[in-house]
Amino acid sequence: MKHFKYTTEKPVSKYTTFELSLRTMANLTVIQCSSLRSRTDFTSYIAAIRASTGDNLSRVTDCKVEICCALWGSGNPDVSGIGVSLYSSSLSMEVKLNPTKMISGYIVANVLGLVLALVLFLSPLASRISRNNQRRRRSTDRIIHVFSQGYSRFYDNAIFLSFSIQIASIVMLVRVDYGVNTHNMGDSTAKITRAASLLCLLPLLYVTLMPQLLHSPFILGEHPRQKPNTEESLRFGQFALCWLLSLYPFYSKMVDYFGPSLIGNGPHRVISDDNWSIISNMCTSNVTAVSPEEAFAMQILGVSGSLFVCICVLLKIIWLAMQKQHMDSWLVRWIRSYGLTAGPRLCIAIFVLLPAFAVGQIWTIFRLRRFQADIAKNAGNLDIDNEWSFGQVAGVTVFAPVLIECWFYWSTWNQEMKGC
């Protein structure tokens, strides 16, 4: 598309008097901002802005609310709303409201998965410490029993949440990537959706990579069964399905990070850097924008986390195939002897890497969420992420059965021991 460069010099022969009159009339007419409220693909939307402003992008301020909402989004409550990212207002020294992140449905999933897995991982050590004290041993057995039952329930609920998030992410990102309908789905909302897709997979990896966590008793570095039983196979099949669904958000992420840019001064660009800066400065003025360093960190954390999950799943599939077809081969025995499937080295690496990737994605979501909310406020638009919806209520209460089941097994422990 041809870009016009405006100067203060009077044009001599570029336009006729009639053409100049038409352009002047276009600049004096009121822009129909309603046509810019939503967009399909980026190319057609920039063309619509040019047509509405008479190719005079300095007039985009007349439609600030509509353009900023269409390009950066006004949020999606089921992805980054108050149910998954709760905010509370606290007064600062200057008596100004300062939004502070308090709790998140994504945080609950990852923290609960980490705590349950870590307690069961340390249960053999706790049992050895308390074996000489009968009262302490009974308390330890009670805690291990409660956490084991709770972890089984947690995995079922986390699978449900992850499956739902993956389906929703695919539907939303397809609309954005192929220009179907991007109402309220700006660039920030799309990035949050991709981060949420990865974040919901991470707490499931503990059981996927360490299925012995749900064995009773937990045994480190040993395989109570030569082959996975039916329940283990079912759990891995459920996780593999969620992982397959997450491949499209991963593909969308790679295209967004490494695909050709439509902004620039080279060929096949939709809008020049100078013209884009007019729109960008309008929407991000008085807003702490995402710095290039922060954007680069988001890319590294997102891509490395997704690649880590893919590598783990593929290695797990290869290992299961080797166990089934070559159970007694030297390679299988060598892998087991070095504890590469359930040994302490692998477990420690999992407990370090998974929380690190989870923290990176949580930071990404909150940073983009804050940036998106500031843009909405700066443009005078509503921040719909602060509204409750059906999906947010489900996201907050999805892990309530875990706590209820833990309480039930804790309160009925003495009755079970009397019946034994």
Side-chain angles (χ1 to χ4, degrees):
M1 181 178 292
K2 184 177 180 181
H3 305 297
F4 293 96
K5 184 177 181 181
Y6 293 93
T7 64
T8 57
E9 298 178 359
K10 183 178 179 180
V12 179
S13 60
K14 187 174 182 179
Y15 303 106
T16 64
T17 304
F18 178 70
E19 289 173 336
L20 288 173
S21 300
L22 290 179
R23 291 173 61 83
T24 303
M25 292 176 61
N27 288 332
L28 293 176
T29 57
V30 178
I31 301 177
Q32 298 297 325
C33 296
S34 59
S35 62
L36 302 176
R37 191 176 302 275
S38 61
R39 66 183 177 94
T40 52
D41 61 285
F42 184 75
T43 302
S44 60
Y45 187 73
I46 295 300
I49 293 178
R50 292 184 182 279
S52 299
T53 60
D55 207 19
N56 183 5
L57 294 185
S58 63
R59 300 188 65 198
V60 293
T61 53
D62 297 342
C63 302
K64 181 178 181 179
V65 175
E66 290 78 9
I67 293 176
C68 295
C69 174
L71 290 176
W72 279 275
S74 58
N76 188 304
D78 291 330
V79 175
S80 57
I82 193 172
V84 293
S85 176
L86 294 178
Y87 286 78
S88 69
S89 298
S90 59
L91 292 177
S92 64
M93 295 300 293
E94 299 179 359
V95 199
K96 295 181 179 179
L97 291 179
N98 179 25
T100 305
K101 280 75 76 174
M102 293 298 294
I103 193 172
S104 162
Y106 302 134
I107 293 179
V108 171
N110 282 271
V111 170
L112 194 57
L114 173 62
V115 171
L116 291 171
L118 193 58
V119 169
L120 294 177
F121 174 73
L122 297 175
S123 60
L125 177 62
S127 298
R128 287 196 297 269
I129 294 175
S130 60
R131 62 185 176 184
N132 296 326
N133 188 317
Q134 184 176 1
R135 183 177 179 180
R136 186 180 298 174
R137 184 181 62 188
R138 287 177 60 86
S139 299
T140 301
D141 293 342
R142 185 181 189 180
I143 294 174
I144 293 173
H145 175 72
V146 169
F147 273 74
S148 178
Q149 298 297 328
Y151 200 10
S152 179
R153 175 63 62 185
F154 164 79
Y155 188 84
D156 295 338
N157 292 3
I159 280 287
F160 167 77
L161 176 65
S162 180
F163 181 81
S164 303
I165 292 295
Q166 304 307 331
I167 293 293
S169 299
I170 292 174
V171 172
M172 295 168 62
L173 292 175
V174 164
R175 288 166 49 193
V176 174
D177 296 340
Y178 294 97
V180 179
N181 182 7
T182 59
H183 181 65
N184 290 334
M185 276 290 293
D187 180 69
S188 298
T189 310
K191 286 182 168 62
I192 292 174
T193 303
R194 300 181 187 110
S197 172
L198 171 60
L199 190 58
C200 290
L201 284 179
L202 295 176
L204 301 173
L205 272 178
Y206 294 106
V207 172
T208 302
L209 300 179
M210 299 182 293
Q212 69 272 25
L213 285 174
L214 295 180
H215 294 167
S216 182
F218 170 76
I219 301 175
L220 178 62
E222 297 181 11
H223 292 265
R225 304 173 181 86
Q226 291 294 328
K227 294 182 180 181
N229 59 17
T230 304
E231 190 174 359
E232 290 179 11
S233 301
L234 176 61
R235 290 195 188 100
F236 179 70
Q238 293 171 339
F239 176 79
L241 176 60
C242 293
W243 170 71
L244 287 174
L245 293 174
S246 72
L247 290 180
Y248 182 80
F250 178 47
Y251 162 78
S252 177
K253 182 190 305 179
M254 298 297 287
V255 172
D256 178 57
Y257 288 157
F258 305 108
S261 176
L262 297 178
I263 302 172
N265 300 319
H268 309 294
R269 298 295 194 270
V270 175
I271 185 171
S272 66
D273 290 328
D274 293 338
N275 288 336
W276 174 251
S277 65
I278 297 175
I279 300 175
S280 178
N281 292 336
M282 174 189 68
C283 295
T284 60
S285 60
N286 302 320
V287 172
T288 304
V290 177
S291 66
E293 292 77 14
E294 289 176 321
F296 180 73
M298 292 177 186
Q299 293 182 13
I300 295 298
L301 293 171
V303 173
S304 60
S306 297
L307 289 177
F308 176 77
V309 174
C310 293
I311 292 173
C312 289
V313 174
L314 293 177
L315 290 178
K316 179 73 174 181
I317 294 174
I318 295 173
W319 172 244
L320 293 176
M322 291 175 60
Q323 281 186 303
K324 183 177 182 179
Q325 301 296 331
H326 308 284
M327 185 186 307
D328 299 324
S329 66
W330 67 269
L331 183 58
V332 172
R333 293 196 301 269
W334 180 82
I335 292 175
R336 285 177 177 169
S337 64
Y338 278 89
L340 299 180
T341 57
R345 299 184 186 90
L346 175 66
C347 295
I348 293 174
I350 291 172
F351 283 116
V352 171
L353 291 176
L354 290 185
F357 287 128
V359 169
Q361 296 311 297
I362 291 171
W363 168 76
T364 297
I365 290 176
F366 282 158
R367 181 64 186 93
L368 292 173
R369 173 66 188 85
R370 179 62 181 269
F371 173 62
Q372 183 175 254
D374 289 345
I375 286 183
K377 181 180 178 180
N378 181 59
N381 196 15
L382 294 176
D383 182 17
I384 63 175
D385 276 349
N386 289 327
E387 301 175 0
W388 283 89
S389 67
F390 175 82
Q392 296 185 71
V393 176
V396 170
T397 60
V398 68
F399 294 110
V402 180
L403 302 178
I404 295 174
E405 188 152 337
C406 288
W407 172 82
F408 172 77
Y409 282 106
W410 180 269
S411 60
T412 59
W413 169 259
N414 293 328
Q415 298 177 2
E416 293 182 8
M417 290 297 99
K418 291 179 181 179
C420 293

